[in-house]
Structures are given as C-alpha cells and as structure tokens.
Amino acid sequence: MQPDAIDRVIKNAINVMESSKYQIFEIAETSRLEKETLARDLEDIKDETSVTIELVDKLEKDYKRSRIRLTEVSRDFNKYREDDIKTAYEAAIGFQLQLTIAREKESHLKTRRNDLQKRVKNVDKQVERAETIVSQMNVVLEYLSGDLNQVTRILESAKNRQLLGLKIILAQEEERKRIAREIHDGMAQTMANVVLRTEIAQRMLVKQDIPAVKEELVDLKGQVRGGLEEVRKIIFNLRPMALDDLGIVPTLRKYVQDFEEKNKIRTQFNLVGRESRIPSGLEIAVFRLVQEALSNVIKHAKATFVSVELTLEPDQVQIYVVDNGVGFDVAQTEQRIAKGNNFGLLGMRERVELLEGSMVLESEKDSGTKITMLIPIGGTENKEENQNGQHGES
C-alpha cells in the first residue's frame, strides 16, 4: 500500500470509530437510564413485598386463632348457639380466603423482584461492556489521531506495525488497570461506606434518635463530598478539562500541586518564557509526558523533591523533570528500553519521537535523575487554523 492510501484508510477508520463511539455512548446512556428506572421499580417491589410478608404473617396468626375459636365453639353445643358457630366458621373462612390471596400476592411479588434483580444485573453488564468499548476506542483514536505522516512511516515497517499494536494494547491495559485501581481504592470504598452509614441512619430513625441521626448525616455528607472529589480527580487524570479551557501551563501547575498533596513529595513547577497556548495535540502530549515522568518518580525514584520546568519558545517546547531520588545506570536502562522492557520510559520516548522530538536521560545511582525532552512546534499556524476550523464546525 502507498502512504497516501494508508492515510486515507486511517482517516476513514478514525471517522467510523468516532461515529461508532458516540453511538455506543448513546447505548450506554440509554442502558444507564433503564437501569435507574429498574432500580426504582425494584425498590418499590421490595417495599411492597416486605409489607405483604408482614400481612401474610398477621393473617396466618389470625387464621390460626379463628380455627381454634371454631374448634372450641363446635365442641360445646350447650354453651354456644348455632349463630356463634356460624360466626366463628365465617370468620375462619374469611381469614383463610385473605391468607390465600395474600400468599399469592407475595409469591407474585417475589417473582417480580427476582426478575427485576436479574434485569438490573444484565443492564449493568451492558453498561460496563459499552463503557469498556468506548474506553478502548478512545485509546486507539488517541494514537491514530496524531501526525499521520509519522504513523505512515511506522506502518511501512512490519516490525513497527506490530510494535504500534502492542503499544496500543499495553497503553489500554495500563489505563484500565489504573482506573480500576483508583475506583476500587477510592470510590468503591467510599460508596460501600455510604451504604453502611445510610443503613445505620435508617435504624436510628426507627428508634427516633434524632440527634444521632443528624450527626450521622453530617458525617455522611462529608463522605459523599470526599467521594465527589475523588471522582473529579479521576476525571482530571483521564482528560483534564482545564487543558482545553486554560491551556497547558495552568493545567500542569494544578497537576503538580495535586501530585505534591497526594504523594507527599515536595514538587516545584517553573515556567520559562511567556505563557501562551500551543497546538491542542501538543498540549495533551506534553501533559501526558509530564504525567508519565512523575508516575515513574513515584514507582522507582524514592525521591523527596521533584522539579518540573516547562520552557515555551516560538519554535519548540522543552520539558525538564529532575528528582533527587536513587537514580539508575543510564546505559543499562537504555538497553532495557531498546529491548522494550521498560514500558514507562519506552512509551515516553516513542511519544516524543512521534512528535519529531528528542529525549535525553541523565542519572547516576544515588544522585537523582534528569529527563530532558525537546519537542518542535512544526506547522503551528496550519495546525491552529485547522483547530479553529474544527471549533467553528462544532
């Protein structure tokens, strides 16, 4: 295949995937709304079932007492008249009829409850599958939407095509594991605790312990706020909205601040040059590079201080990430990168090279690490015009 033909295929694939992504998103939203409706119906059925079970228990006791009464009246003809026997008999028959109807209603409600529970689980699986597919498509689109000339050069080599596919899969799996870990350690625990505290407050309401309920609700409110903040952090890590609205400098400044608070590592951000906007694709690339560099600091460096410096020049962007950690042997690390064994640094280097830039590692054991990345701003005017045209169309 010629490079132009490959470019057309990739562009068509991007268009199809973008369209399919929004269709899948709509399916997920529809399923989520259906799940909410089913969940409300399920709660109503559960409440009605509880009331019916209590009614059945009461009618069973009433029916049992009426049978005892009928037996007593039927045995002693001297003491009770025929009208008493008739009254006792009608009462027993009445309770028996009510009990039969209530039991049938209870059986019907339990069947509906079980059916709704199954439907909620099935819809929940549909939502999860749809969200997984959308996430996978986003990962693929991020790689395909880069510089198509660079992708063409990669695709001309069979070995590089395989490497690109592997990189997409690894990036996708790493992102899914990171999100799953953040949700499990954060939101899932918070929501489980919220459910537990809600049940406690419900029991207190039954006991009419109003002061304790108020105190519990205040604590519960704090839990929910903490969970909301956790969700916002997850959303920020997925795609910082500030990147589109404010640009790379405020976004990095906020990210570095959050990094310091979360990891208890003193972190400093410096800007050299005039704060300005750069092409959107380059902004997200710079953000991901800094994000990966700081992630490596957490995993390997054992550092107590990290410095991130961003230099904005008319024709290039320079990124310097320096830490005072344990350091490493650069030659050995470069060999591991060449063999594809260090996925963090490998991903950073490949991303920089796709942008026609360069990355240099400087480190010694027990002397910290410095990562220097230089990325040219090529064809900035054309890129900005294309971006403005896309914004106008949207």
Side-chain angles (χ1 to χ4, degrees), residues 176-299:
R176 289 174 66 183
K177 283 195 291 186
R178 184 186 67 78
I179 295 171
R181 184 168 57 249
E182 287 187 1
I183 293 175
H184 177 271
D185 295 342
M187 270 304 299
Q189 302 294 334
T190 301
M191 294 304 295
N193 195 34
V194 166
V195 172
L196 180 62
R197 302 298 286 272
T198 304
E199 291 177 353
I200 293 173
Q202 190 175 15
R203 293 194 190 101
M204 289 178 177
L205 279 174
V206 173
K207 296 178 181 179
Q208 295 186 348
D209 190 354
I210 302 302
V213 172
K214 289 182 178 179
E215 183 178 346
E216 193 68 28
L217 287 176
V218 169
D219 200 8
L220 187 61
K221 186 177 180 181
Q223 291 270 340
V224 174
R225 279 181 174 169
L228 180 60
E229 185 64 26
E230 196 71 28
V231 169
R232 286 173 175 163
K233 287 182 180 179
I234 293 173
I235 292 172
F236 180 85
N237 288 332
L238 287 174
R239 172 72 183 191
M241 289 179 285
L243 202 59
D244 298 321
D245 299 333
L246 304 177
I248 186 63
V249 175
T251 303
L252 278 182
R253 189 174 286 119
K254 177 68 167 59
Y255 181 75
V256 166
Q257 180 183 348
D258 292 343
F259 176 86
E260 181 178 52
E261 293 175 359
K262 180 180 179 182
N263 300 287
K264 308 304 179 185
I265 298 175
R266 192 163 64 89
T267 311
Q268 179 179 307
F269 175 75
N270 296 315
L271 171 66
V272 177
R274 185 173 62 86
E275 180 176 337
S276 60
R277 297 298 298 265
I278 58 178
S280 176
L282 191 54
E283 284 187 332
I284 188 62
V286 170
F287 177 79
R288 294 301 183 199
L289 288 169
V290 174
Q291 191 178 39
E292 184 62 37
L294 292 181
S295 176
N296 286 336
V297 170
I298 299 171
K299 294 177 183 176

Side-chain angles (χ1 to χ4, degrees), residues 28-69:
E29 284 299 307
T30 302
S31 299
R32 194 175 289 110
L33 291 174
E34 182 183 357
K35 177 187 172 183
E36 293 174 358
T37 302
L38 289 173
R40 287 194 297 269
D41 292 342
L42 180 59
E43 287 300 319
D44 293 339
I45 290 295
K46 284 182 177 179
D47 293 341
E48 191 175 355
T49 302
S50 298
V51 173
T52 304
I53 290 172
E54 292 176 1
L55 178 61
V56 168
D57 292 340
K58 180 179 179 300
L59 288 173
E60 284 178 345
K61 293 176 182 178
D62 292 339
Y63 178 63
K64 185 176 181 180
R65 284 195 294 268
S66 68
R67 289 289 303 272
I68 294 171
R69 172 65 177 171

Side-chain angles (χ1 to χ4, degrees), residues 100-244:
T100 302
I101 294 172
R103 282 175 175 168
E104 288 179 358
K105 184 178 180 181
E106 178 187 355
S107 176
H108 174 69
L109 288 172
K110 285 182 178 179
T111 301
R112 283 191 62 195
R113 180 193 63 190
N114 295 338
D115 180 62
L116 283 173
Q117 287 174 337
K118 291 179 181 178
R119 289 174 64 187
V120 168
K121 288 182 181 179
N122 290 335
V123 173
D124 196 35
K125 289 180 181 178
Q126 290 178 6
V127 173
E128 184 179 353
R129 283 196 293 266
E131 290 175 344
T132 300
I133 293 172
V134 171
S135 176
Q136 292 170 346
M137 295 178 75
N138 282 334
V139 173
V140 177
L141 282 169
E142 181 180 350
Y143 283 97
L144 292 181
S145 299
D147 188 342
L148 295 182
N149 291 327
Q150 295 294 338
V151 176
T152 300
R153 295 191 190 104
I154 293 173
L155 292 175
E156 288 175 347
S157 166
K159 180 178 179 180
N160 286 338
R161 283 201 302 268
Q162 184 180 22
L163 181 60
L164 179 62
L166 177 62
K167 186 168 67 173
I168 290 172
I169 293 171
L170 290 173
Q172 168 193 318
E173 291 302 317
E174 283 298 318
E175 188 68 6
R176 289 174 66 183
K177 283 195 291 186
R178 184 186 67 78
I179 295 171
R181 184 168 57 249
E182 287 187 1
I183 293 175
H184 177 271
D185 295 342
M187 270 304 299
Q189 302 294 334
T190 301
M191 294 304 295
N193 195 34
V194 166
V195 172
L196 180 62
R197 302 298 286 272
T198 304
E199 291 177 353
I200 293 173
Q202 190 175 15
R203 293 194 190 101
M204 289 178 177
L205 279 174
V206 173
K207 296 178 181 179
Q208 295 186 348
D209 190 354
I210 302 302
V213 172
K214 289 182 178 179
E215 183 178 346
E216 193 68 28
L217 287 176
V218 169
D219 200 8
L220 187 61
K221 186 177 180 181
Q223 291 270 340
V224 174
R225 279 181 174 169
L228 180 60
E229 185 64 26
E230 196 71 28
V231 169
R232 286 173 175 163
K233 287 182 180 179
I234 293 173
I235 292 172
F236 180 85
N237 288 332
L238 287 174
R239 172 72 183 191
M241 289 179 285
L243 202 59
D244 298 321

Side-chain angles (χ1 to χ4, degrees), residues 265 296-306 322-330 333 336 362-370:
I265 298 175
N296 286 336
V297 170
I298 299 171
K299 294 177 183 176
H300 309 294
K302 298 180 181 179
T304 58
F305 173 75
V306 186
V322 183
D323 68 68
N324 65 347
V326 295
F328 54 84
D329 187 301
V330 175
T333 301
R336 288 199 298 271
E362 300 176 56
S363 182
E364 293 182 4
K365 289 188 176 181
D366 301 322
S367 298
T369 301
K370 179 180 180 180

Side-chain angles (χ1 to χ4, degrees), residues 367-379:
S367 298
T369 301
K370 179 180 180 180
I371 302 177
T372 303
M373 292 169 278
L374 275 66
I375 304 172
I377 306 177

